[in-house]
Amino acid sequence: MFLVLFLMSFGTFHVHSVLSKPEQVTAYEGDTVTLHSRGNTTWTLSRIQWAIFQNDTLIATYQTGDLETDLIWSYKGRLTLNTTTGDLQIKNVTRKDNKSYSVLLMDNNNDQYNHDIQLNVRGETGPRS
Ligand SMILES: *[C@@H]1O[C@H](CO)[C@@H](O)[C@H](O)[C@H]1NC(C)=O
Ligand SMILES: *[C@@H]1O[C@H](CO)[C@@H](O)[C@H](O)[C@H]1NC(C)=O
Ligand SMILES: *[C@@H]1O[C@H](CO)[C@@H](O)[C@H](O)[C@H]1NC(C)=O
Ligand SMILES: *[C@@H]1O[C@H](CO)[C@@H](O)[C@H](O)[C@H]1NC(C)=O
Ligand SMILES: *[C@@H]1O[C@H](CO)[C@@H](O)[C@H](O)[C@H]1NC(C)=O
């Protein structure tokens, strides 16, 4: 009985994270776009991890005072990470950036926050409405 209750509460945790829909962001090819972490602005961030949601590949990190924004070849030279807010800026957006991204924030009390974003990239010749 105790085991069943444990599994149920564990399952609920996962259902919650699956049900929360990613924020939708639209950009056009060649644009500079900022993906906001939406973290608590009072936090002093000790760790920031931006990943490609689909395969968990880290693209930009800040941990133990060390900032890395050139982890993946396809984003090399295009990323700027704000270590105060956790916001990630992507320059010269390409169609290949059309993906879901996930950010994990940790503050200096080890509180954690997670936010998911779907970046929708449209062609530069398309109508801007
Ligand atoms: C932000 O963090 C502070 C300090 O931990 C907390 O008091 C406050 O309620 C948080 N605000 C939100 C919107 O979560
Ligand atoms: C994850 O996806 C990115 C972009 O599509 C790709 O560059 C990278 O190699 C992938 N990583 C793995 C481990 O599949
Ligand atoms: C980070 O963002 C904050 C709030 O928007 C801004 O005041 C600050 O100048 C930014 N820092 C950098 C290095 O861009
Ligand atoms: C933007 O990316 C395209 C290819 O994706 C490249 O041809 C172009 O030179 C880049 N522009 C800048 C300003 O980096
Ligand atoms: C961008 O990604 C979304 C969600 O995965 C998909 O529905 C859409 O067709 C993609 N757009 C392009 C131009 O690949």
Side-chain angles (χ1 to χ4, degrees):
M1 188 56 196
F2 180 78
L3 180 64
V4 170
L5 284 174
F6 173 78
L7 288 174
M8 279 171 66
S9 54
F10 194 71
T12 306
F13 174 79
H14 280 277
V15 167
H16 175 74
S17 65
V18 166
L19 286 180
S20 60
K21 284 205 179 136
E23 177 186 350
Q24 301 291 316
V25 173
T26 299
Y28 291 84
E29 281 184 291
D31 277 359
T32 294
V33 67
T34 299
L35 306 183
H36 295 281
S37 76
R38 307 289 177 204
N40 186 325
T41 51
T42 70
W43 283 17
T44 299
L45 300 177
S46 61
R47 180 180 294 183
I48 308 165
Q49 293 182 329
W50 277 94
I52 295 171
F53 184 83
Q54 284 86 349
N55 69 9
D56 274 340
T57 300
L58 293 172
I59 58 172
T61 61
Y62 175 71
Q63 46 204 353
T64 58
D66 190 25
L67 181 62
E68 299 276 359
T69 53
D70 282 334
L71 294 167
I72 299 250
W73 181 82
S74 51
Y75 295 89
K76 205 172 171 67
R78 297 195 295 126
L79 302 181
T80 307
L81 181 58
N82 186 316
T83 57
T84 306
T85 60
D87 294 351
L88 183 70
Q89 189 186 70
I90 309 178
K91 286 191 272 283
N92 196 14
V93 167
T94 77
R95 277 177 187 276
K96 287 182 180 170
D97 301 338
N98 187 72
K99 295 182 196 312
S100 295
Y101 299 87
S102 180
V103 61
L104 177 76
L105 302 180
M106 196 181 287
D107 81 349
N108 51 12
N109 300 318
N110 288 338
D111 292 323
Q112 290 192 28
Y113 176 80
N114 176 253
H115 184 62
D116 298 334
I117 294 175
Q118 165 75 46
L119 177 61
N120 300 291
V121 180
R122 308 231 173 119
E124 60 186 0
T125 52
R128 290 182 178 241
S129 54

